[in-house]
Amino acid sequence: MPVTVKQIAQLAGVSRGTVDRALNGRGNVRPEVEKKILAIAQEMGYTPNRAGKALAYQRKNLSFGIVANADGNEFFDEVLRGAQTAVDEYADFGITLKIEGGRRYDVDQQLRQLSTMQAEGVSGIAVCPINVPEIEKKIDQLIDSGIQVLTVNSDIENTHRFAYVGCNYYQSGVTAGGMLRLMRPEGVRAGIVTGSVRMLGHNRRMKGFSDVLKTMEDSCVADICESLDEREVAYQATKNMLSAHPEINTLYFAAAGSVGGTQAAVDLGKKDLTIISSDDTDEIRKLMEERLIQATICQEPYRQGYRSMQLLFDAVVNNTHPAEEFCYMDNIIRIRENL
């Protein structure tokens, strides 16, 4: 039998109007009372009348936003596709999705994009944040203004964002290191190509990989370079690193850049490299088919985008946050034989 607002009001010892305001985030409810009402509703399995709620929200012109280093990044095409699919499923609420792409992890650009979202009146933002104090401060300003904010694909420290949706980066790096242990159990001289040292996720992935190398005999990280998630930058940075360190026998791509970086290795005639990448794009699959990349660790980009919009919807429309702060995707191993 469906749970009613009247039943929740009786258990909470408040009026039905108070329950309605709490469940729909309309304000004018003391925080401790609102918390009690929401807890009772969740415990009883209360589900609102979707049709009625949808009609009410259509008049509010709700919109969500995504801000990410997505321009020219094939991986993020899937993140955005997942986000748009989820938003389309809320069509009866009239929700629209605004997208702000970016390149090269430009802090000023991301600050402008977040300010644009705020000026346009979005109700929720999923941001793939650059991990610097300026972005931390801006995220908390958005939250203080009433915008629901979560991080997607990469996290950030020292903010009040309500959730993170994405890869468990440290475990992803550990997984890559574990695969390498099977391929080259000793004597590894690894070159790491990361996206940006200003991205928390990329740093955690490198840390996991490096921690495994420390347990392997006669193995170490020889050098690290940045691709900024761009093919041309990855090509030149990898070429420079391999030229400066001829002892490198392994490349680990801890972010985008594996296509350009692998081409640099080919052009230098480095045919005996062990190469492990991140993500599962058409171009990476082609390189695996050609036996240039031996393994890649995937992170479900479509699901990242889809789930981030679900959580924003629950936060804005249903006034609820997830029970778990970290919504991790699966780290999936791909080799040539299971593409």
Side-chain angles (χ1 to χ4, degrees):
M1 183 177 179
V3 178
T4 66
V5 169
K6 181 179 179 180
Q7 290 171 317
I8 296 172
Q10 289 173 339
L11 288 171
V14 297
S15 70
R16 282 181 287 181
T18 300
V19 172
D20 179 73
R21 289 195 298 276
L23 293 177
N24 292 288
R26 297 195 179 100
N28 296 321
V29 181
R30 294 197 310 275
E32 65 273 17
V33 173
E34 182 177 42
K35 184 176 180 180
K36 180 179 179 181
I37 290 169
L38 293 176
I40 291 171
Q42 185 174 25
E43 183 178 340
M44 296 181 69
Y46 171 77
T47 55
N49 182 302
R50 179 174 175 121
K53 180 171 280 193
L55 183 61
Y57 273 91
Q58 283 176 13
R59 306 187 187 103
K60 297 184 178 183
N61 297 317
L62 288 183
S63 60
F64 296 157
I66 290 186
V67 175
N69 194 68
D71 290 353
N73 189 333
E74 186 181 5
F75 169 85
F76 266 101
D77 291 344
E78 282 298 290
V79 176
L80 299 178
R81 189 171 72 87
Q84 188 63 64
T85 299
V87 169
D88 289 346
E89 291 176 2
Y90 301 129
D92 51 336
F93 284 78
I95 299 172
T96 57
L97 179 63
K98 301 178 183 294
I99 298 170
E100 289 282 352
R103 296 182 66 185
R104 302 202 174 191
Y105 300 102
D106 185 324
V107 174
D108 290 337
Q109 180 186 59
Q110 189 163 92
L111 288 170
R112 289 194 301 270
Q113 292 169 335
L114 290 170
S115 294
T116 297
M117 293 279 184
Q118 184 178 17
E120 292 179 347
V122 299
S123 298
I125 296 175
V127 56
C128 181
I130 303 169
N131 189 40
V132 296
E134 299 94 318
I135 300 296
E136 293 172 5
K137 182 178 178 181
K138 183 60 181 180
I139 286 175
D140 279 348
Q141 287 177 348
L142 295 171
I143 294 168
D144 290 342
S145 74
I147 297 173
Q148 296 283 350
V149 179
L150 61 77
T151 51
V152 61
N153 184 250
S154 191
D155 206 1
I156 192 168
E157 299 172 308
N158 306 315
T159 74
H160 294 97
R161 59 101 183 98
F162 73 84
Y164 164 66
V165 180
C167 178
N168 183 332
Y169 278 91
Y170 182 81
Q171 192 59 46
S172 175
V174 168
T175 302
M179 292 296 293
L180 180 61
R181 191 200 302 276
L182 297 175
M183 299 172 187
R184 284 185 180 265
E186 60 183 35
V188 171
R189 299 292 181 268
I192 299 178
V193 184
T194 189
S196 170
V197 295
R198 295 194 294 184
M199 295 301 289
L200 184 61
H202 298 172
N203 290 337
R204 287 178 173 169
R205 190 179 265 157
M206 288 193 292
K207 178 68 164 56
F209 181 78
S210 299
D211 282 353
V212 174
L213 253 65
K214 292 174 184 177
T215 69
M216 296 167 59
E217 185 176 347
D218 187 30
S219 297
C220 67
V221 174
D223 199 6
I224 298 170
C225 65
E226 293 178 286
S227 73
L228 301 180
D229 285 355
E230 295 198 11
R231 183 177 307 187
E232 296 79 9
V233 177
Y235 177 89
Q236 195 59 55
T238 305
K239 189 173 184 178
N240 292 344
M241 182 172 65
L242 290 174
S243 298
H245 295 275
E247 76 275 16
I248 288 176
N249 57 23
T250 298
L251 283 178
Y252 174 46
F253 292 95
S258 55
V259 176
T262 300
Q263 186 61 52
V266 170
D267 289 352
L268 288 172
K270 297 281 188 175
K271 299 180 180 179
D272 61 343
L273 289 177
T274 299
I275 301 180
I276 299 176
S277 69
S278 303
D279 306 329
D280 182 10
T281 66
D282 289 341
E283 290 181 311
I284 288 175
R285 285 182 171 232
K286 184 174 184 294
L287 292 173
M288 293 180 73
E289 292 283 4
E290 295 171 356
R291 303 182 187 275
L292 293 172
I293 293 178
Q294 283 69 53
T296 192
I297 315 300
C298 316
Q299 54 174 312
E300 301 188 292
Y302 177 90
R303 187 176 161 219
Q304 287 187 34
Y306 187 91
R307 185 62 178 144
S308 65
M309 292 301 107
Q310 285 185 319
L311 293 185
L312 284 181
F313 179 85
D314 284 341
V316 172
V317 176
N318 295 327
N319 198 30
T320 59
H321 285 168
E324 298 293 333
E325 177 184 356
F326 298 96
C327 181
Y328 287 134
M329 304 294 105
D330 291 332
N331 283 311
I332 301 170
I333 297 170
R334 288 274 182 260
I335 58 176
R336 183 174 180 272
E337 287 73 16
N338 75 338
L339 290 176

